[in-house]
Amino acid sequence: MPIKEKNYWLDTVAAPLAQSARDLPGSIDVVVVGGGFCGLSAVRALAKRGVKVAVLEAETFGWGASSRNGGMVLTGMKLPVPTLIKRYGRDTVRKMYAASLESIDCVEQIVREETIDCSFSRCGHLEVACKQAHFDGYQESAALIKREFNHELRIVPKSELHGEIGSDIYFGGMIDETSAGLNPAQYVAGLAHAAQRAGACLHDHTRVTSIKQEISNGVRKFRLQTSRGAITAREVILASSAYTTEATPALCKKIIPIGSYIIASEVLPAELVRELSPRNRMIYDSKHFLYYYRLTPDNRMLFGGRAAFFPETENTVRQSAEILRRGMIGVYPQLRDTKVEFVWGGTLDFTLDVMPHAGKIDGMYFAVGFAGHGVAAATWFGAKLAAQICGDPRDIPFDAIKFPSAPLGLRSGHTWALPLVGAWYRLLDFLT
Ligand SMILES: Cc1cc2nc3c(=O)[nH]c(=O)nc-3n(C[C@H](O)[C@H](O)[C@H](O)COP(=O)(O)OP(=O)(O)OC[C@H]3O[C@@H](n4cnc5c(N)ncnc54)[C@H](O)[C@@H]3O)c2cc1C
């Protein structure tokens, strides 16, 4: 079968995503811009608390990174814990780490409550060491995480690694049993249905083109112009992530959109599946320019990486198929003759300090910067912003940290500097 330049996960979504051809309401309590995990989690939570809320999505629900990712529901943050403690102090980082664990529970609770059929499983994740020095660092990391956060990670020496992965190239591994896996397209579709059931107005194919503040009778409101007319709202949540545009220029300046690509193989025989990933973990390696991979529920190998740093285009997707296939065979020579049936790409929302951020910008709520942790984090941040709008106490530990703007060459739409970032990470992988 030839490679389809197509997202494998979307092929598994039976029910079409909730849609609405209705006219926009003239005014509403809250408008959410962007219908991925973050936006849909926020509207679901708001609607459940009786708030009149609409979500406006430029394409279809889940069209952004939320249906394109690896489906890894991961604990922790992108940066190493010592770096985080040095930057933000022990107390703040304890709260951040607790939030990362809570975010996995948050996804699990939503999946259960809404009976979302998305193959959610607490299968744990495995990080594999590409160098001896990386493996040597695992012991220290695990001890630090146990001491600071009372969270248990398990080290797997090279001699026992075959119980976890059918590959000989790694120097050992580290396991976190708390992490989970799911089918992201089914999950985001389930979130959209849940939000609609709770009473939220869902509007797809509705692109927000500008947002202005208005004061009328002493009350501040936001007026949003969209491709399907105007709408006013008391509060706005920006959940447009890496796909943020100049419609919200202040947020756009903060985001570094980075491409990531995935291939999915043909369905593999059961015996080979057991050999490649005996415990069916979510797996990623220890490099900066990393590979992440897992089995799909129907036993394909799904293998992803930053094959190009540019956001996805037809060209980068096509080139990525071969780069990732070579990467996959490097890890698993057993797959040399296996057919790759799908390839697709998506864009991640990095920030200059590689941290998630939330708070208010130009008077509007926002949450961005989930990078490779957005399945859990975007869901959690969306729910937290909703709670804040409903008057709950502020308890997002990431909202008090400084949010640096991205340098011009790395911002959305100005991607000329991205190859330099790619080269820098490759150099770091060579040196460290
Ligand atoms: C290839 C890939 C693999 C990944 N793997 C993982 C993984 O395994 N685990 C993990 O945790 N994370 C992973 N991620 C990251 C994760 O997918 C994202 O962090 C997460 O989906 C972000 O969700 P979101 O709701 O914030 O944004 P998105 O899902 O990107 O949604 C933003 C939406 O906003 C809409 N939008 C933008 N501007 C406007 C506008 N003006 N008007 C209306 N709508 C607008 C867009 O159309 C888009 O649908 C991966 C990402 C990619 C691309």
Side-chain angles (χ1 to χ4, degrees), residues 34 36-38 57-58 64-66 69-70 72 208 241 292 346 348 371-375:
F37 299 140
C38 184
E57 164 55 52
S66 293
N69 58 74
M72 303 188 175
V208 174
S241 193
Y292 51 92
L348 292 151
H373 283 66
V375 179

Side-chain angles (χ1 to χ4, degrees), residues 118-194:
C118 62
S119 305
F120 179 92
S121 150
R122 288 266 189 175
C123 49
H125 83 243
L126 166 71
E127 179 178 336
V128 278
C130 297
K131 294 185 179 178
Q132 184 60 44
H134 297 179
F135 180 68
D136 295 342
Y138 284 172
Q139 203 77 49
E140 211 178 305
S141 269
L144 181 67
I145 285 170
K146 171 75 185 153
R147 194 168 65 242
E148 293 297 336
F149 315 129
N150 197 24
H151 184 67
E152 205 78 56
L153 301 177
R154 189 158 58 79
I155 307 297
V156 187
K158 188 171 173 68
S159 58
E160 292 169 23
L161 205 53
H162 268 212
E164 290 289 339
I165 181 173
S167 173
D168 292 323
I169 67 168
Y170 299 112
F171 291 79
M174 184 162 64
I175 290 167
D176 191 331
E177 301 281 358
T178 309
S179 293
L182 51 64
N183 175 325
Q186 290 177 346
Y187 173 53
V188 76
L191 268 179
H193 286 296

Side-chain angles (χ1 to χ4, degrees), residues 30-36 38-40 42 46 54-56 208-212 222 224 235-252 254-255 349 357-370 378 381-382 385 389 403:
V30 180
V31 165
V32 176
V33 182
C38 184
L40 291 168
L46 285 163
V55 54
L56 311 182
V208 174
T209 50
S210 71
I211 308 179
K212 295 221 154 41
F222 295 93
L224 295 91
E235 302 290 359
V236 173
I237 297 180
L238 302 176
S240 45
S241 193
Y243 296 90
T244 300
T245 65
E246 288 292 340
T248 49
L251 189 62
C252 198
K254 305 273 188 182
I255 296 170
D349 55 330
H357 291 271
K360 279 190 159 185
I361 196 159
D362 288 344
M364 296 175 281
Y365 291 88
F366 75 92
V368 286
F370 312 121
F381 274 83
L385 289 181
I389 287 180
F403 190 0

